[in-house]
Amino acid sequence: MSRFSATIWGARGSIAAPAGPNREFGSDTSCVEVTCGKRTIILDAGTGIVGCGRKLYEAHVNELDILLTHCHFDHIMGLPFVIPLYKDHVSARIFAGHLEDGTSCRKMVERFMCPPYFPVTPKQFAAKIDYRNFSPPETLDLGDGIAVRTVKLNHPNGAVGYRIDYAGRSLCYLTDTEHVPGQPDEGILDLIEGADVMIYDTTYTDETFERHVGFGHSTWQEGVRLSEAAGVRQLLLFHHDVLHTDETLEALEREAQGRFAGAIAARTGLAIEVGADNIPV
């Protein structure tokens, strides 16, 4: 069976968390490395991509795709620190489909990486970079049998969710989306139908959600409801609030597992085989 795996490099949302009380679940913001056969896909470029990029460089990975959900700082701030992007033997594609004002993926990166906000510009990237624009619900064909379906998410300034289908298995990545209580998002339900794994925004709980309406995030309970309705096998709680320490997340994980056996709180270093019966591996 072709390898289809995912490794969490950052599971925090909004801002990196202090290290002391967060040793178990990690401090870095959103980044997930996905391996499909010999291909490497990176979901988001938060601070977690720094360690991911170092690992890819040391492993001599020369080709990669970076799929951005959106360009809020916690999802792109690690991009300037990705070592392979400064190597001329590397080829990389960067995808963005959330921009609603006509800004291109290339222009977004150029605006982010420029003085006075940052001293290094994309002109310093030595890799062969192909900036890709798309509009959800477009399906992206990454080649080698890898298809990526997309969906528009409910988040300030826009965001995109992804479903990666490969070798008869599927992984969905849906972070930075806000649900409407009692009204499941039909676009998300369609995207995740029968998925093996869903990584979902669980920044809040149903009990704390009301005072955060409009912030663009969801709850672990909504993740469970969506998983049950769509027949998702495994649910990874993701985009942890900076105030949710190891102790808090351990308690939330136990509570979620009491409702849905396939639930687990994402943490830095967690590695899973998509479609496997055991999680983590």
Side-chain angles (χ1 to χ4, degrees), residues 51-81:
C52 177
R54 185 179 301 113
K55 174 252 186 179
L56 296 178
Y57 171 66
E58 293 172 351
H60 305 290
V61 173
N62 298 325
E63 182 179 348
L64 60 137
D65 290 311
I66 301 174
L67 277 57
L68 302 174
T69 57
H70 62 307
C71 60
H72 287 165
F73 286 152
D74 53 324
H75 292 259
I76 63 170
M77 63 197 309
L79 191 65
F81 302 94

Side-chain angles (χ1 to χ4, degrees), residues 181-246:
Q183 300 179 35
D185 188 313
E186 293 298 329
I188 288 179
L189 282 175
D190 179 65
L191 188 84
I192 68 175
E193 181 67 33
D196 291 291
V197 177
M198 177 173 69
I199 302 172
Y200 187 75
D201 185 321
T202 57
T203 304
Y204 306 123
T205 66
D206 279 359
E207 294 74 24
T208 62
F209 178 75
E210 184 175 357
R211 60 179 178 267
H212 297 101
V213 170
F215 285 31
H217 299 289
S218 192
T219 71
W220 69 260
Q221 289 99 330
E222 184 67 11
V224 167
R225 289 188 286 266
L226 290 169
S227 296
E228 291 175 335
V232 173
R233 294 179 59 201
Q234 296 172 334
L235 167 67
L236 269 64
L237 316 185
F238 193 77
H239 205 274
H240 306 313
D241 188 286
V242 67
L243 297 179
H244 286 176
T245 63
D246 288 341

Side-chain angles (χ1 to χ4, degrees), residues 148-210:
V148 181
R149 292 171 55 193
T150 65
V151 67
K152 184 177 180 180
L153 300 178
N154 181 26
H155 192 69
N157 310 126
V160 174
Y162 296 101
R163 174 182 175 130
I164 301 173
D165 285 296
Y166 176 70
R169 290 162 282 161
S170 54
L171 177 145
C172 299
Y173 182 67
L174 297 152
T175 187
D176 292 66
T177 190
E178 182 175 317
H179 70 282
V180 177
Q183 300 179 35
D185 188 313
E186 293 298 329
I188 288 179
L189 282 175
D190 179 65
L191 188 84
I192 68 175
E193 181 67 33
D196 291 291
V197 177
M198 177 173 69
I199 302 172
Y200 187 75
D201 185 321
T202 57
T203 304
Y204 306 123
T205 66
D206 279 359
E207 294 74 24
T208 62
F209 178 75
E210 184 175 357

Side-chain angles (χ1 to χ4, degrees), residues 94-167:
I94 302 176
F95 293 80
H98 70 285
L99 298 154
E100 300 175 345
D101 61 356
T103 300
S104 68
C105 180
R106 176 190 291 272
K107 183 60 66 176
M108 179 270 290
V109 175
E110 290 174 345
R111 288 178 179 175
F112 160 58
M113 291 180 60
C114 72
Y117 310 108
F118 199 78
V120 175
T121 76
K123 291 181 180 180
Q124 272 68 58
F125 288 154
K128 303 174 185 66
I129 298 180
D130 181 4
Y131 296 93
R132 296 289 187 94
N133 307 301
F134 67 91
S135 297
E138 185 176 340
T139 296
L140 310 175
D141 183 356
L142 300 189
D144 294 327
I146 306 167
V148 181
R149 292 171 55 193
T150 65
V151 67
K152 184 177 180 180
L153 300 178
N154 181 26
H155 192 69
N157 310 126
V160 174
Y162 296 101
R163 174 182 175 130
I164 301 173
D165 285 296
Y166 176 70

